[in-house]
Structure formats: structure tokens, C-alpha cells
């Protein structure tokens, strides 16, 4: 099908001027729009694997990447302290045992630089770069409804026609800087954690403000504090963070993990969050207090985000959640010297885990340093930025540099920047005006053969995103094989399937504590964004089963369009 319909632009008129100055207009065929089987947008973990997998099954693939290199998240987020919060040995590709066996992670939680090295190594090893156009942003993807072909246009003016479009544009790749009056008048340096300078930044001897205490702020603040002469941390909402317990990985440990990879990955794909650590089997309050405490302690020592999965009911039952919260608060009070500062750092407006738990190294201890000051912008909001610093309702803070650690327009932000028009010219942005509409997070009705990776409607950021991306790419690649083997041109969710999936997402979310926080999972961090819980929160393993079941049933919920 894709061979048969290689497209040309309609014939166009072209003007020639002869030596007497007479202009003749002739009709000729301009260069045809190049055609590929699939365009992939983005060259992070998801886009790289999509290229490899689709190419391996014989498709011609073209990847466009706005950045000058591979890496996505790990290309841009170079702030001090940037690391993964899923263990390195799990936060890497599982599709190739050769890759798993050859790469050696040096630490439990790899640095940004090491993850970027890994992705560059994978790109070289699989010879991926030859099909990637870097420094090129996709501006639009427009469906020709008669041919069911997408025309993808870039900011460089290039056009490519494709049967399939795979949006691997990233759940967390549209960074946000708040619109604070006077920011453009600031005379010092301004940074965003998600667009950190390649050469790094030296804060030695400087007065620095960090705005934002999410994962990026919490990872970078201790390291910025090590250099800065004075650090002001502007906190709107205090956050839950659990120490990473980061450490080097020994050769013996790595060898053991590598030998056990088949089982480790099997458990991860079946688990709630894409890691090989399974919650305790009993509900929190059914476990005797001493055992309960020991279990929390075990998770605390394991480190990081998995603390929210200690017991199975921690995210569904407020009483259970309160137990985890109590344990956490004790730990924080024990390491923060000033009890008033400790109280400011302890969240009181959302259950633990309802926002992503951060993973830190000495974050809370940083506030014991005399040159670090916590400023609650809940109590004293920022009103402006002027030439010399930050103005709140209470004071002026003179600073040499401002670091925005203010997060992302998550899940829909990068897709929203692309003009996507499907059947009848309908814009994806219009279709999603009240919140993202997808079936399984993989596609939307009216947009045949347009796929999203770890998009809204999937577990996405609630699970290990590398395995999430692999699962999506594999599902899409298998669906394409199915289409070709059975004489279909295209696959497209039915409107009913999308509506039912949205209802299922909402129903599942309503039975959890996730909806009790103003999180970016709900779009609450973006002014004017519809408040919709955008993720499948039933667990990664459950979700993978649903997707497998849909495929096995001949793609129920999808319309398969004959060639
Ligand atoms: P990305 O890595 O975001 O790549 C998307 C790419 O698409 C980008 O390079 C972007 O330039 C490109 N792009 C977007 N729009 C266009 C366009 N219109 N045209 C051309 N190119 C475009 N997840 C975890 O599971 N574990 C972690 O430990 C973890 N740590 C994280 C730490 C940080 C600092 C951040 C910000 C996120 C973290 N995440 C983590 C989430 C992380 O985003 C994913 O794990 C993963 O890296 C996403 O890969 P991706 O390929 O889907 O998207
Ligand atoms: P984030 O979690 O959205 O945090 C943004 C912070 O900025 C919040 O504290 C927010 O306060 C604050 N903020 C936003 N606008 C503000 C304003 N106008 N004034 C004052 N404060 C403002 O973003 P992030 O820290 O970049 O993390 C996003 C996600 O990326 C994480 O949840 C995680 O999934 C991933 N990530 C992971 C790691 C890791 O450890 N591996 C590191 C970084 C990022 P409110 O809470 O009040 O909105």
C-alpha cells in the first residue's frame, strides 16, 4: 500500500523569462514530496527505539528532532544533580539483551551525563543517526483524507509524506517559565533547569534564587548551595522527597543483576510502576505496627519514588496514606535543625505520593546551612522581578542569578505546539480543548495512523518511562504488521472506544488519592489548562494486559480501514 501511493504534488505553473524578456508560463511537475512509511517526531528514549524497531521490520523511517543531538530529556536537563529516579539498571532499554549486557551503569541512580552517554552509545551501536534530522522542529502534520497519508512539515520548510506518524515528543519536554512581571528587566543571569547551558554554570560566590521545589529544584538545590554565597529557595508547595541512597554499583552487583535480567524485566513489566519491586501484600493497617514501620524503613532505604508503593492501599486509602506520611514527617523533622523551617518544608495540602515523590541527596539538610534561606511564596507571594532581584509582598531579594525549576506543560505541551489536523481538517488541539482524548493513550479518533508514545491516557510518568516507551513502540509496530498482513491501510480508534477509555481513566483516578493534589498530572500547574487527570493509574502491568488483550482480539475499539 505504501509503495503504491507514493505521492507527488499536483502539477504547478512555473515562469521562464527568455532573452527578449518574454515570460512564458509552462506547466511542469515539481519535485515530488518524499515519502516514507513512518515519520517519528523526537529522538529521546522513545523515538530512538521507534526508529530501530520500525526500521528492523522493513519500514522506511524518518526522524525529526528539534535538538541538535539525541537524548531528549537527557539532552536538555543538564542542571546540577540531574539523575534518574528509577534505578539505572531498570531505567534502560530491555529490548536487546546485548545492550543490557554490554553497558555498565556506574551508580544506582545515573547522572544526566551518563544517561546521555548511554543514549549516544545506543544510537551509534544501532546506527540510528543516519535516519535522524537534527535541529529540525516539526510544525505540522496534516492528513490527506483521500490517501490517508500525512504531510509532515518542518520549521526548515521541508515536507515529507508518511503513512504513519509516531509522536515521540515527550511527556515532559515543554518547559514552563512563569510569567512574572518584570522578568525581562532582570540584569542578572536567568536559567531554566530544562534548558541548562551545555557548558554548565558556575555559581561560586553568587547570590542565587531558585524558584520551584519539584524534582528538578530538589535535585539541584543542594549542589547550587555548595557553590553559591547565598541561596534563596522560593517554595510554593512543599514536596515529599525521599533520599536516593545513591551509591556506586560494584562489579559483583552488576554481574548479578545482568544474570537476573530476564526475571527482573518480567516482574517489571507486570508491576505497578515498571520496576522489579513489588508492594507488600497486605493493606497498611492490617500489618502490625512494628512490621509496618520496618516495611516503611525498608522502602526508605531502597530510596526514592518507590516509597509511595510500600503498601498496596497507600494511594487509595487516606488512613493508609496517613501512616506513610507520619513516617516520612518523622524522618524530615530528624534532619532539619530549625523546627520552623521543618514545618515549612512539610506538605500539609496533599497526600504523600499524590504528586510524584521526589528523590534527593541531602535536600532537607541543605536548609541547615546559614547561607540558605527558604522563602514561602504561599505566605509572601512573588509580585515582580526587577533589575536586581525578586520582589515579594514582604521583601526584596538581591540576586545575581535566578534559576527557574518551574516544570513543564506536561503530557500535552509538546504535542500542542504541533498543528495536527485529522479527518475533516479537525485540529487535535480543538479536539483536546476540554482535556486530551485518546484510546489507550495510543491514538485518537479522527487521526488514523497517528500514534503517541507514553502520551496522555497511558500510565506514562506513573511508571518507568523507558519500559513504557518500549511497550508502546512494540504495540504500534505489531499493529502495523497486522495491518499489512491483513490488507488494511489504516487503524483508528472509534469515538466510542475513546469515550469509554476516558470514562475508565476518570473512574480509576476517582478511586485514588491522585485527584487530591494540584499536580501536573491534572494540568493544575498550567494556567487555564483543563483540570483532568490525564493518566491511567491502574498500574503498568494491568495496562500492558489491556493493550495485549486489545491486540489479541483483532484490535477491538479500533476501526481497521481496508487498503
Ligand atoms: P523526551 O526525552 O522528552 O524526548 C522528546 C524529544 O522530542 C525531545 O528531544 C524534543 O526536542 C523532541 N520534540 C518535541 N517536539 C518536537 C517537534 N515538534 N519537532 C521535533 N522534535 C520535537 N522518567 C522515568 O521513568 N524515570 C526517571 O528517572 C526520570 N527522570 C527524569 C528526570 C528529568 C529531569 C525529567 C525532566 C524527566 C524524567 N523522567 C523520568 C521522564 C522522562 O521524560 C522520560 O523518562 C523519558 O526520558 C522520555 O523519553 P521520550 O523519548 O518519551 O521523550
Ligand atoms: P514540577 O514538579 O512541576 O515542579 C515545579 C515547581 O515549580 C513546583 O514546586 C511548583 O510549585 C513551582 N512553581 C511553578 N510555577 C511557579 C510560580 N509561578 N511561582 C512559584 N513556584 C512555581 O517540575 P519539575 O521539578 O521539573 O519535575 C517535573 C517532573 O519531571 C517530575 O515530577 C518527574 O516526573 C520528572 N523529573 C524527575 C527527576 C528525577 O528525579 N529523576 C528530576 C526532575 C524531573 P507548585 O507545586 O505549587 O505548582
Amino acid at each position: 500500500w505504501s509503495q503504491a501511493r507514493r505521492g507527488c504534488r499536483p502539477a504547478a505553473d512555473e515562469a521562464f523569462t527568455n532573452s527578449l524578456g518574454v515570460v512564458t508560463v509552462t506547466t511542469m511537475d515539481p519535485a515530488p514530496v518524499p515519502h516514507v512509511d513512518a515519520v517519528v517526531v523526537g529522538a529521546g528514549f522513545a523515538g530512538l527505539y521507534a526508529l530501530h524497531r520500525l526500521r528492523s521490520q522493513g519500514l522506511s523511517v524518518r526522524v525529526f528532532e528539534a535538538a541538535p543531538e539525541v537524548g531528549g530529556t537527557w539532552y536538555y536537563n543538564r542542571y546540577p544533580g540531574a539523575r534518574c529516579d528509577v534505578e539505572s539498571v531498570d531505567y534502560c532499554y530491555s529490548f536487546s539483551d546485548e545492550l543490557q549486557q554490554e553497558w555498565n551503569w556506574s551508580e544506582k541512580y545515573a547522572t544526566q551525563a551518563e544517561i546521555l552517554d548511554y543514549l549516544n552509545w545506543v544510537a551509534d551501536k544501532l546506527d540510528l543517526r543516519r535516519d535522524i534530522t537534527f535541529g529540525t522542529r516539526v510544525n505540522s502534520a496534516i492528513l490527506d483524507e483521500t490517501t490517508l497519508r500525512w504531510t509532515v512539515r518542518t520549521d526548515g520548510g521541508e515536507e515529507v509524506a508518511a503513512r504513519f506518524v509516531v509522536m515521540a515528543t515527550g511527556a515532559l519536554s515543554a518547559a514552563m517559565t512563569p510569567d512574572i512581571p518584570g522578568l525581562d528587566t532582570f540584569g542578572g543571569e536567568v536559567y531554566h533547569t530544562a534548558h541548562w547551558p551545555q557548558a554548565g554554570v558556575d555559581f561560586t560566590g553568587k547570590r542565587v534564587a531558585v524558584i520551584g521545589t519539584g524534582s528538578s529544584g530538589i535535585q539541584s538545590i543542594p549542589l547550587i548551595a555548595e557553590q553559591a554565597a547565598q541561596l534563596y529557595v522560593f517554595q510554593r508547595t512543599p514536596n515529599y522527597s525521599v533520599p536516593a541512597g545513591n551509591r556506586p554499583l560494584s562489579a559483583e552487583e552488576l554481574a548479578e543483576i545482568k544474570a537476573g535480567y530476564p526475571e527482573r524485566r518480567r516482574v517489571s513489566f507486570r508491576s505497578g510502576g515498571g520496576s522489579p519491586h513489588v508492594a507488600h501484600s497486605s493493606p497498611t493497617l492490617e500489618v502490625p505496627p512494628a512490621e509496618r514501620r520496618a516495611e516503611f524503613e525498608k522502602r526508605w532505604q531502597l530510596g526514592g519514588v518507590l516509597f509511595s508503593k510500600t503498601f498496596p492501599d497507600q494511594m487509595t486509602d487516606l488512613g493508609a496514606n496517613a501512616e506513610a506520611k507520619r513516617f516520612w514527617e518523622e524522618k524530615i523533622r530528624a534532619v532539619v535543625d530549625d523546627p520552623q523551617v521543618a514545618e515549612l518544608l512539610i506538605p500539609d495540602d496533599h497526600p504523600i505520593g499524590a504528586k510524584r515523590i521526589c528523590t534527593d541527596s541531602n535536600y532537607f539538610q541543605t536548609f541547615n546551612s546559614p547561607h540558605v534561606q527558604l522563602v514561602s511564596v504561599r505566605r509572601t507571594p512573588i509580585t515582580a522581578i526587577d533589575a536586581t532581584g525578586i520582589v515579594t509582598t514582604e521583601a526584596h531579594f538581591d540576586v545575581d542569578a535566578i534559576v527557574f525549576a518551574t516544570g513543564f506543560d506536561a503530557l500535552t505541551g509538546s504535542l500542542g505546539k504541533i498543528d495536527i489536523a485529522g479527518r475533516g481538517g479537525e485540529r487535535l488541539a480543538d479536539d483536546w480543548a476540554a482535556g486530551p482524548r485518546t484510546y489507550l493513550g495510543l491514538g485518537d479518533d479522527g487521526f488514523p495512523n497517528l500514534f503517541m508514545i507514553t502520551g496522555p491516557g497511558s500510565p506514562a510518568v506513573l511508571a518507568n518511562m523507558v519500559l513504557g516507551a518500549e511497550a508502546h513502540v512494540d504495540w504500534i509496530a505489531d499493529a502495523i504488521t497486522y495491518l499489512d498482513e491483513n490488507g488494511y491501510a489504516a487503524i483508528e480508534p472509534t469515538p466510542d472506544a475513546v469515550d469509554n477509555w476516558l470514562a475508565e481513566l476518570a473512574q480509576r483516578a476517582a478511586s485514588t488519592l491522585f485527584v487530591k493534589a494540584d499536580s501536573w498530572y491534572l494540568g493544575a500547574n498550567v494556567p487555564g489548562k483543563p483540570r483532568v487527570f490525564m493518566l491511567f493509574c491502574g498500574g503498568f502491568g494491568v495496562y500492558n494486559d489491556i493493550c495485549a488483550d486489545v491486540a489479541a482480539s483483532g484490535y477491538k475499539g479500533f476501526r481497521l480501514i481496508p487498503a
Side-chain angles (χ1 to χ4, degrees), residues 214-525:
S215 297
S216 304
I218 282 177
Q219 281 189 329
S220 58
I221 283 163
L223 290 163
I224 295 175
E226 280 179 15
Q227 290 188 333
Q230 175 70 46
L231 175 63
Y232 301 108
V233 176
F234 290 84
Q235 170 191 274
R236 189 162 66 185
T237 312
N239 237 320
Y240 292 101
S241 184
V242 171
N246 191 36
R247 57 182 170 74
L249 290 172
S250 69
E252 296 71 39
E253 215 175 336
L254 264 183
E256 199 183 321
I257 289 166
K258 286 182 181 186
Y261 255 135
E263 179 60 6
R264 191 173 180 105
R265 298 302 201 170
R266 193 193 64 76
V267 175
S268 298
F269 276 106
R270 307 269 345 116
S271 72
S275 292
H277 306 285
V278 192
H280 191 284
S281 55
S282 306
T284 311
L285 296 172
E286 284 179 18
V287 177
E291 191 188 332
R292 193 187 309 152
R293 201 178 161 78
E295 207 58 35
F296 281 133
E297 185 62 40
K298 211 159 86 188
R299 281 283 160 146
W300 186 268
Q301 296 305 332
L302 181 64
V305 66
L306 289 169
F307 185 76
S308 65
K309 293 186 165 46
T310 313
F311 292 100
D313 56 348
Q314 212 168 307
M315 287 309 300
T316 52
D317 182 90
L318 264 179
N321 193 275
E323 289 298 305
K325 213 161 140 62
R326 202 174 355 263
F327 179 92
W328 182 89
E329 289 182 9
E330 253 180 58
K331 290 281 192 192
I332 302 313
R333 291 198 176 95
V335 298
V336 179
D337 295 345
D338 181 337
Q340 282 183 344
V341 174
E343 288 321 302
L344 262 190
L345 287 166
I346 292 175
D348 61 1
D349 69 338
H350 64 278
I352 184 166
K355 288 183 171 191
R356 188 182 181 88
I357 292 187
C358 307
T359 303
D360 72 279
S361 298
N362 293 321
Y363 173 66
F364 294 101
Q365 293 84 339
T366 300
F367 294 93
N368 297 333
S369 299
H371 72 297
V372 179
Q373 185 182 334
L374 183 64
V375 182
S376 167
V377 301
R378 274 267 150 76
R379 291 186 184 169
T380 56
I382 296 173
T383 54
I385 291 175
D386 64 16
T388 56
I390 296 184
V391 190
T392 69
T393 49
E394 194 177 63
H396 184 281
F397 297 86
D398 288 337
V399 291
D400 304 304
I402 300 175
V403 174
F404 285 97
T406 42
F408 302 86
D409 180 355
L411 293 156
T412 57
S414 52
L415 277 174
K417 290 182 183 173
I418 305 174
D419 180 18
I420 301 171
R423 287 191 190 279
E426 186 184 20
R427 260 54 199 178
L428 189 82
D430 294 336
D431 194 41
W432 287 16
R437 285 175 49 80
T438 71
Y439 177 40
L440 305 173
L442 283 161
D444 187 7
D445 61 296
F447 301 85
N449 285 352
L450 182 107
F451 299 105
M452 293 144 217
I453 313 269
T454 58
S458 74
V461 289
L462 295 183
N464 175 347
M465 291 273 280
V466 178
L467 299 194
E470 284 188 340
H472 271 175
V473 169
D474 287 341
W475 192 96
I476 292 164
D478 290 346
I480 290 174
T481 303
Y482 184 88
L483 296 183
D484 288 344
E485 286 177 352
N486 293 280
Y488 293 110
I491 181 168
E492 177 184 357
T494 66
D496 279 354
V498 174
D499 289 341
N500 292 340
W501 186 246
L502 293 184
E504 171 146 11
L505 295 181
Q507 193 189 0
R508 284 183 184 264
S511 66
T512 71
L513 304 178
F514 282 115
V515 288
K516 296 196 181 299
D518 288 330
S519 68
W520 55 257
Y521 301 154
L522 278 148
N525 63 329

